[in-house]
Amino acid sequence: AVVSTQSTGHAKVMSENMSWNGEKTIIITCSFTPGSCSLTAYKLTPSGYEWGRQNKDTSSTPQGYLPSHYEKVQMLLSDRFLGFFMVPAESSWNYNFMGVRHSSSMKYDLEL
């Protein structure tokens, strides 16, 4: 499932990039189990986008957050990738495990 902080962060990034298509912009979660991992893709519903864009509560149980704010979508995995990936040039780039340290106002250089 998608937690409220993921919905909020995703909605805010989408609202700052109006050219992004909400039907093609997803949240991917990864669950680790003994011997494997599971990937699941979700997209925000219109009500989830609006809720996340306006949410200021960063607690684990913010008021108004509902499971109907997102829905599962199909994800196709392939060994062929089109495009490129940009990551910060210094320090760790994976803020999934340290989300409280991420800030949208962070300054960093990018590398391909």
Side-chain angles (χ1 to χ4, degrees), residues 35-77:
S36 68
C37 69
S38 299
L39 299 175
T40 308
Y42 300 91
K43 72 174 181 176
L44 292 178
T45 60
S47 64
Y49 170 75
E50 284 304 317
W51 179 88
R53 192 174 59 79
Q54 296 171 12
N55 179 44
K56 305 264 188 270
D57 184 352
T58 57
S59 71
S60 61
T61 55
Q63 185 175 13
Y65 185 63
L66 302 169
S68 61
H69 286 165
Y70 58 87
E71 60 187 43
K72 273 188 183 181
V73 293
Q74 182 179 17
M75 176 174 46
L76 233 39
L77 297 179

Side-chain angles (χ1 to χ4, degrees), residues 8-46:
T8 300
H10 190 69
K12 289 185 178 170
V13 169
M14 286 178 60
S15 71
E16 294 166 358
N17 296 278
M18 297 305 291
S19 64
W20 289 16
N21 181 341
E23 293 296 313
K24 295 180 180 178
T25 307
I26 61 171
I27 299 168
I28 299 176
T29 62
C30 182
S31 303
F32 297 99
T33 56
S36 68
C37 69
S38 299
L39 299 175
T40 308
Y42 300 91
K43 72 174 181 176
L44 292 178
T45 60

Side-chain angles (χ1 to χ4, degrees), residues 79-99:
D79 60 348
R80 298 171 194 249
F81 296 96
L82 297 176
F84 55 89
F85 299 91
M86 292 189 297
V87 296
E90 58 280 321
S91 189
S92 176
W93 58 270
N94 187 346
Y95 280 88
N96 188 50
F97 298 108
M98 37 185 195

Side-chain angles (χ1 to χ4, degrees), residues 97-112:
F97 298 108
M98 37 185 195
V100 294
R101 293 181 52 199
H102 181 264
S103 167
S104 59
S105 62
M106 293 172 76
K107 302 290 183 210
Y108 49 85
D109 293 324
L110 295 174
E111 63 183 33
L112 292 176

